[in-house]
Amino acid sequence: MSADRADAPARHPGTLPRPAAPGRPPRPASAAPPAPVRAGRPLPRRAAPVLLATADALATAGAALLVGADPAVLAGLVPVLLLLNARAGLYRPGPAPAALDETAPLVGRAATAWCATAAALAALRPEDALGPVALPAAVAATAALAGAGRAVVYRVRRAAARRRPRSVLLVGPEPAGRQLAVALLAHPEYGLHPVGVVATGPAGPDGVPPGAGPPLLRSSEAVTRAVIRHTVRDAVFLLPPESDPYSAALLRRFLGQGAAVWLAGAAAGRDGRPAAPGTGHLWGFACRPYETARSRPGSPAKRAVDLVLASVALVLTAPLLLGCALAIRLVDGPGVFHRPERVGKDGRRFALLRFRTARAGGRPGRVGRWLRRTALDGLPQLWNVLCGELSLVGPRPERPSRAAECARRHPDYAARLRMPPGLTGLAQVHGLRDGARAEDRTRFDNLAIDGWSPGQDLRILLRAAIRPRFRREGR
């Protein structure tokens, strides 16, 4: 595939003009001039949950003050209420939330928390028990104050979104993608500025001129350029991401980079059914966040294990490393190390450290043949692990030319770059080495990344240790 207008859309008569800046969407000529868009970072995604939780806590304290409850009960009441609201998803607002839509959930959680508190007070401190009037008054006051606080938070959030919208990529069929892009450009209150439409299906008639809105991206390279150029941290899928391999690969990529993923239109439904009542929307397009409980692969725990094990291994093998280096220098001449270029995490290139096994003419010497046969030529790669360029367990590090070729042929190949490459991996211990099909190795690599856990890494290391014929990877 090739990029189609990856950086600038073509101009057609009657189409929307190209925005002067990523944060300045066009407006109809008859509308009032938009508020000036300030350059700078958009509102952090974590700001809204913190503000909402603060508003709920203050509402609970205010309700306790109004009904004359003992302030000491807040120590247990506030955490319970915040936990109930969090489990109900009240701290994960959609692109355009409304406080009125959350009235019923707020009343239900407030009633649960206050009833539990009243029962505890009646059992432990009967003199402070809440009466038949105070209890419903406390529930009503908590819900009303929390709703008012949320209305203020959402109003401030919409104002900030207009001034500093977040760049977003739209993934799906070209007609629906262009329609949603035009809607978002005309309604900046959602705080999402489309910078590209990643087309995953054939073009078709949609009533929107082909050149309208953001550019059409049809290659992985074009998507990468758009992500880097516009600092994209949001992605909207208009069809279920599992519907085709290319969308699934993009989903893995966005989740691995910590982007916020939204499902809109047909993708917002569940199991082929329409979107549930109360689902948010983007100017009529049903919208909800993509639900995943899985943590990002390559967590700090994995890095800590790599540092500890690689440090211990380097200390234990230091005499062997010194002996190999001395043998190469004395027998095969100067130049102990070979540093081939490889592709690492997120496509960054690095120099893979290995003992030199070939002489100047390209033929391996006696020491080089012995190092290859014993797989000791890759022992210096432990230093790459310490530097963070490699991991003990991960995808095989590829040459840049082969990585580019595989990325063109296999849509989900780039998703394996979510994790640093490793000395060994799930594909390697299954015998998928240099001659294996790239499609098979990609499938194994993404399977290992999607289901990553410390226990899985340990099992792979043990399998690599007891199967020495699969050790020599990362060449």
Side-chain angles (χ1 to χ4, degrees), residues 32 35 43 51 56 62 82 136 146 160 167 207 261 272 290 315 326 331 377 432 450 456-457:
L43 187 69
L51 293 175
D56 290 346
L82 296 183
S167 298
V261 177
Y290 179 79
V315 172
L326 186 60
V331 177
D377 58 330
L432 300 177
D450 292 337
Q456 177 183 264
D457 276 7

Side-chain angles (χ1 to χ4, degrees), residues 169-378:
L169 287 180
L170 310 179
V171 183
E174 180 183 351
R178 290 197 180 278
Q179 289 176 354
L180 179 55
V182 171
L184 291 177
L185 289 173
H187 297 276
E189 64 269 18
Y190 295 112
L192 298 175
H193 181 85
V195 296
V197 176
V198 185
T200 58
D206 57 359
V208 178
L216 185 66
L217 311 178
R218 286 194 177 273
S219 72
S220 178
E221 293 83 358
V223 173
T224 301
R225 287 196 301 269
V227 169
I228 296 175
R229 178 182 178 186
H230 301 285
T231 316
V232 174
R233 290 293 180 268
D234 290 78
V236 177
F237 285 79
L238 291 152
L239 286 179
E242 301 82 5
S243 58
D244 67 271
Y246 188 57
S247 297
L250 287 172
L251 175 66
R252 292 193 186 103
R253 177 175 179 179
F254 289 129
L255 291 177
Q257 294 173 348
V261 177
W262 306 89
L263 303 181
R270 300 177 188 269
D271 301 326
R273 295 172 293 174
T279 302
H281 70 94
L282 297 171
W283 199 242
F285 288 84
C287 181
R288 64 179 176 89
Y290 179 79
E291 298 172 357
T292 175
R294 187 176 301 282
S295 60
R296 293 177 61 189
S299 65
K302 179 177 177 64
R303 178 61 181 150
V305 172
D306 286 343
L307 286 174
V308 171
L309 295 183
S311 300
V312 172
L314 275 175
V315 172
L316 295 179
T317 60
L320 183 58
L321 285 166
L322 184 59
C324 292
L326 186 60
I328 294 173
R329 180 65 179 84
L330 294 177
V331 177
D332 291 336
V336 172
F337 296 108
H338 177 48
R339 297 178 175 84
E341 190 178 44
R342 294 292 183 264
V343 177
K345 186 175 184 292
D346 297 329
R348 292 189 294 267
R349 300 187 182 187
F350 68 98
L352 188 72
L353 196 62
R354 290 177 48 207
F355 279 129
R356 180 173 61 88
T357 58
R359 294 174 176 172
R363 299 183 59 184
R366 289 176 297 173
V367 176
R369 288 194 296 270
W370 178 76
L371 290 174
R372 289 188 178 184
R373 187 167 58 253
T374 58
L376 292 177
D377 58 330

